[in-house]
Structure formats: structure tokens, C-alpha cells
């Protein structure tokens, strides 16, 4: 659906060239939710704005649904942009227009018939749960409701792609979760390809299928969210995983145990139905190994339940090795820390 090839973007700051994107290669499949995570200044906002050419790349190609946008004149580019919706961190609503008028705005620009506009506005407001707010103004809405209007407006033109530029950053955690649930529902109902940027790993973990980590204008790590989250390779990725993994507490616990003598400490990862099965208890019982839990969590990554336990084994060396081997034979991911 989306292919970025050797994408580069330079800015001129005080007469000097400042690279923002340094040769991005990226493919996003039709119907997936792809997340791009990075710190401020890493290039993520520039990257997403290059996808619809709100920022024109210095070099490289942006191919959306088979069309290279960088080769289009302004008229044809505007036509292609109707297939790419976008929502923003600060909503970008027309303050003097009602909710219904905001949703209708792109359709009026496209000179659609009034009856078609009215029908589409009603349909979009029902999709985002704002049917009763059609005649209100943005100032009368909460932050979450404003973002729902932004989503309805972005979807009014029946786009194939929805770009989300820090769409939940201005919202409280509860409202963020409701907006993420709405985006996931829209993705499933409409088969819409969604690209979102964020600096919050919670957002990526909640709804994304794949993720790219951007740092210094480069994609430094990319893959399925489960793989990237559970086995982060790059230091930047590891920082983001710590947002939701309590890694600082884990390091303190491990340091404490190591300081008290020679220890065997494991990180055991459970995926899918394994998460709810007593595999660890059964293994330790069968091998006669004493263990204690230093840290543990059970959560979900989009539709997949997962768990991670950090445990200390209290058996002798032979018992501990047998316990580790048995856990691995039973399909668990086991890392000796």
C-alpha cells in the first residue's frame, strides 16, 4: 500500500543544511496498523508528513497504492490526497463551524452534492459516536470528542490510508484508550491502512501490527510489535520499552539478588494461551526446583496476551539447568539474565 524508497528530507537552518530524514526505506501493507515511534526531533513528524507530501522530500520516492506522489503535478497530487486522510495532535478543527460542518468541509471542497454530503456526515458521526453533537461547536466538546470529529472529517472522503500525527498526545490516558479503541474498530470495519506516529510505547503496544523505531532520521529497528517489544535490540527501542515494562525496578531487583551471592535469574516470556497455563509451576514441581518471583506482568499486545516473569532459581546448578531446559522444551522463551 505504501512504499518509501531512500526517502531524504533536508531543512535549511541559518544557511546550513540540516538532515531530518537520512534515506528511509519502508513498506506498509494494505490494512495494517503501522506505528512509528521516536523521541522529539527524531524525524517522525517529518516522515509522516512526507507520506502525503505536506512536506516534499529532498530525494526519494513516496508510492501510495501504486502511485508515486513525488512525480505528480499539484492538481493530480491534490486528487491523490483525497485518498489519504490525516488527523492531528491539536485537532485542527474550524472553531467557527459546527461539528457537522467540520466533517462536511472536505466534501464541500470536493464539490460533492449536498444530499451526498448530508448522508456522509450522518454516517461518519454515527461511526465515531457523535450523532447527538452535530450542531455543537468545537469549544463545547471535550478533547476526546474533538479528536473524534477530526477522525470523522478525515474519513469523510473514503480514504484508503489514515495518517495519525501524535493523535493522542494531547489527551488523558482514559481518553487515549477510547480513541485507540476507535481507531482499531475503524481499521477492522473499513480495512483501512493506518500509519501513526507517537512517542508512547503504550500506543504502539495497544493497536499496532508492526512498528518502526526512528532515531536521528534513520529507522533503527523494525518488526512485529511483539518481537520488537519483547526483544528490543537498539538502545532507543529499549528506552521506549522501559516506559511500559518497569525495567528500572527490574534492574534494581536483579542487582539486589546478585549482590547477595551467585544466583540464577531468568526472564521467562509467555505468549498466547501459554500465558494462562501453569507451565512454570508444573516445571518447577517436576524438577524439584525452588524459585521466587522478582517481577511479573500479564498484559495484552493488541489481540495477543503475553506475560513476563523474572524469577530466581534456588536449586543446585544441575537442577537449575534442567528447569531451564524443560521450560524451553515446553515452548517458553527463557533468558538467563
Amino acid at each position: 500500500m505504501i512504499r518509501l524508497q531512500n526517502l531524504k528530507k533536508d531543512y535549511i537552518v541559518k544557511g546550513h543544511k540540516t538532515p531530518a530524514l537520512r534515506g528511509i526505506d519502508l513498506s506498509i501493507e494494505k490494512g495494517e496498523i503501522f506505528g512509528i515511534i521516536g523521541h522529539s526531533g527524531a524525524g517522525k513528524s517529518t516522515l509522516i508528513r512526507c507520506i502525503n507530501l505536506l512536506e516534499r522530500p529532498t530525494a526519494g520516492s513516496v508510492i501510495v497504492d501504486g502511485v508515486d506522489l513525488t512525480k505528480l503535478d499539484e492538481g493530480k497530487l491534490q486528487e491523490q490526497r483525497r485518498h489519504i486522510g490525516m488527523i492531528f495532535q491539536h485537532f485542527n478543527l474550524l472553531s467557527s463551524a459546527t461539528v457537522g460542518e467540520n466533517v462536511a468541509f472536505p466534501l464541500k471542497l470536493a464539490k460533492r452534492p449536498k444530499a451526498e454530503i448530508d448522508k456522509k456526515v450522518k454516517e461518519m458521526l454515527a461511526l465515531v459516536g457523535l450523532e447527538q453533537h452535530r450542531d455543537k461547536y468545537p469549544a463545547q466538546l471535550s478533547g476526546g470528542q474533538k479528536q473524534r470529529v477530526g477522525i470523522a472529517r478525515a474519513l469523510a472522503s473514503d480514504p484508503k490510508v489514515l495518517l495519525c500525527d501524535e493523535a493522542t498526545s494531547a489527551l488523558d490516558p482514559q481518553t487515549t484508550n477510547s480513541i485507540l479503541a476507535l481507531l482499531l474498530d475503524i481499521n477492522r470495519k473499513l480495512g483501512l491502512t493506518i500509519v501513526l506516529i507517537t512517542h508512547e510505547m503504550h500506543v504502539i503496544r495497544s493497536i499496532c501490527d508492526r512498528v518502526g523505531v526512528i532515531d536521528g532520521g534513520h529507522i533503527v529497528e523494525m518488526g512485529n510489535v511483539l518481537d520488537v517489544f519483547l526483544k528490543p535490540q537498539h538502545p532507543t527501542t529499549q528506552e521506549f520499552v522501559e516506559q511500559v515494562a518497569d525495567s528500572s525496578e527490574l534492574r534494581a531487583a536483579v542487582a539486589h539478588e546478585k549482590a547477595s551471592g551467585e544466583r540464577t535469574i531468568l526472564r521467562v516470556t509467555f505468549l498466547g494461551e501459554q500465558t494462562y497455563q501453569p507451565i512454570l509451576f508444573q516445571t518447577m514441581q517436576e524438577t524439584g526446583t525452588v524459585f521466587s518471583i522478582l517481577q511479573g506482568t500479564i498484559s495484552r499486545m493488541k489481540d495477543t496476551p503475553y506475560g513476563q516473569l523474572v524469577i530466581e532459581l534456588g536449586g543446585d546448578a544441575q537442577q537449575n539447568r534442567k528447569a531451564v531446559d524443560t521450560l524451553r522444551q515446553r515452548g517458553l522463551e527463557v533468558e538467563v539474565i
Side-chain angles (χ1 to χ4, degrees):
M1 173 57 75
I2 300 172
R3 281 192 296 136
L4 309 180
Q5 298 177 333
N6 195 30
L7 194 69
K8 298 179 181 179
K9 175 64 179 179
D10 299 329
Y11 294 105
I12 303 300
V13 181
K14 296 181 179 180
H16 298 283
K17 183 175 76 172
T18 301
L21 301 177
R22 303 170 183 261
I24 301 290
D25 291 300
L26 186 62
S27 292
I28 299 170
E29 301 302 321
K30 178 178 174 59
E32 79 171 328
I33 303 179
F34 190 94
I36 300 166
I37 190 168
H39 293 298
S40 297
K44 59 185 186 296
S45 290
T46 300
L47 176 56
I48 201 169
R49 290 169 67 86
C50 280
I51 293 177
N52 59 3
L53 262 64
L54 287 179
E55 294 280 358
R56 186 167 283 275
T58 304
S61 299
V62 178
I63 302 169
V64 180
D65 202 22
V67 178
D68 188 345
L69 302 187
T70 62
K71 295 181 178 179
L72 301 180
D73 61 35
E74 194 60 32
K76 290 183 178 178
L77 177 59
Q78 290 291 350
E79 184 178 333
Q80 287 298 318
R81 278 185 179 143
R82 294 193 183 107
H83 302 303
I84 306 173
M86 191 165 188
I87 58 176
F88 304 88
Q89 177 180 358
H90 296 295
F91 322 126
N92 287 17
L93 302 180
L94 302 171
S95 60
S96 60
T98 65
V99 166
E101 290 167 343
N102 268 281
V103 177
F105 184 68
L107 301 175
K108 289 180 178 178
L109 287 180
K111 299 181 179 179
R112 301 280 184 88
K114 185 179 184 304
E116 181 183 333
I117 292 175
D118 289 343
K119 180 181 178 183
K120 179 59 73 171
V121 169
K122 184 177 180 180
E123 179 185 331
M124 291 298 99
L125 290 179
L127 180 65
V128 301
L130 292 179
E131 307 98 309
Q132 306 302 317
H133 300 276
R134 180 170 181 155
D135 297 323
K136 290 184 178 179
Y137 289 87
Q140 298 173 279
L141 304 178
S142 67
Q145 289 171 333
K146 289 177 185 176
Q147 194 57 282
R148 286 173 182 266
V149 177
I151 293 170
R153 180 183 59 187
L155 297 179
S157 299
D158 297 320
K160 299 175 182 177
V161 174
L162 179 64
L163 307 179
C164 305
D165 188 358
E166 294 276 13
T168 60
S169 294
L171 305 175
D172 63 75
Q174 185 175 356
T175 307
T176 290
N177 289 338
S178 71
I179 294 298
L180 294 177
L182 175 62
L183 290 173
L184 185 57
D185 186 53
I186 289 168
N187 167 259
R188 289 169 170 166
K189 285 181 178 176
L190 306 181
L192 195 65
T193 304
I194 297 178
V195 184
L196 62 85
I197 65 168
T198 183
H199 60 273
E200 299 173 294
M201 196 64 192
H202 164 71
V203 172
I204 299 295
R205 186 180 68 171
S206 297
I207 67 169
C208 292
D209 300 299
R210 290 193 300 139
V211 61
V213 182
I214 189 168
D215 185 54
H218 296 281
I219 297 292
V220 296
E221 191 163 353
M222 182 167 57
N224 294 328
V225 172
L226 270 170
D227 294 335
V228 172
F229 182 82
L230 296 177
K231 301 177 184 177
Q233 302 298 312
H234 192 273
T236 299
T237 313
Q238 292 166 2
E239 287 179 32
F240 283 116
V241 169
E242 285 185 6
Q243 291 180 352
V244 289
D246 294 327
S247 295
S248 58
E249 293 182 14
L250 169 59
R251 286 196 299 268
V254 170
H256 178 268
E257 293 303 316
K258 284 184 175 179
S260 60
E262 187 66 32
R263 306 285 183 172
T264 299
I265 300 174
L266 312 177
R267 180 186 286 110
V268 184
T269 301
F270 306 77
L271 288 179
E273 290 306 309
Q274 294 176 335
T275 308
Y276 306 115
Q277 296 172 356
I279 300 174
L280 178 62
F281 173 77
Q282 290 173 348
T283 299
M284 297 306 168
Q285 190 176 48
E286 290 172 12
T287 58
T289 307
V290 178
F291 72 100
S292 57
I293 298 175
L294 303 182
Q295 186 194 51
T297 184
I298 293 177
S299 188
R300 298 186 73 85
M301 216 165 298
K302 197 172 182 180
D303 297 321
T304 305
Y306 76 95
Q308 277 195 328
L309 292 178
V310 176
I311 64 174
E312 176 195 346
L313 300 185
D316 59 35
Q318 184 176 353
Q319 280 180 313
N320 291 348
R321 282 195 300 270
K322 184 177 180 182
V324 170
D325 291 342
T326 304
L327 288 171
R328 287 172 173 162
Q329 289 167 8
R330 291 177 173 177
L332 299 187
E333 181 79 23
V334 182
E335 175 190 357
V336 180
I337 300 176

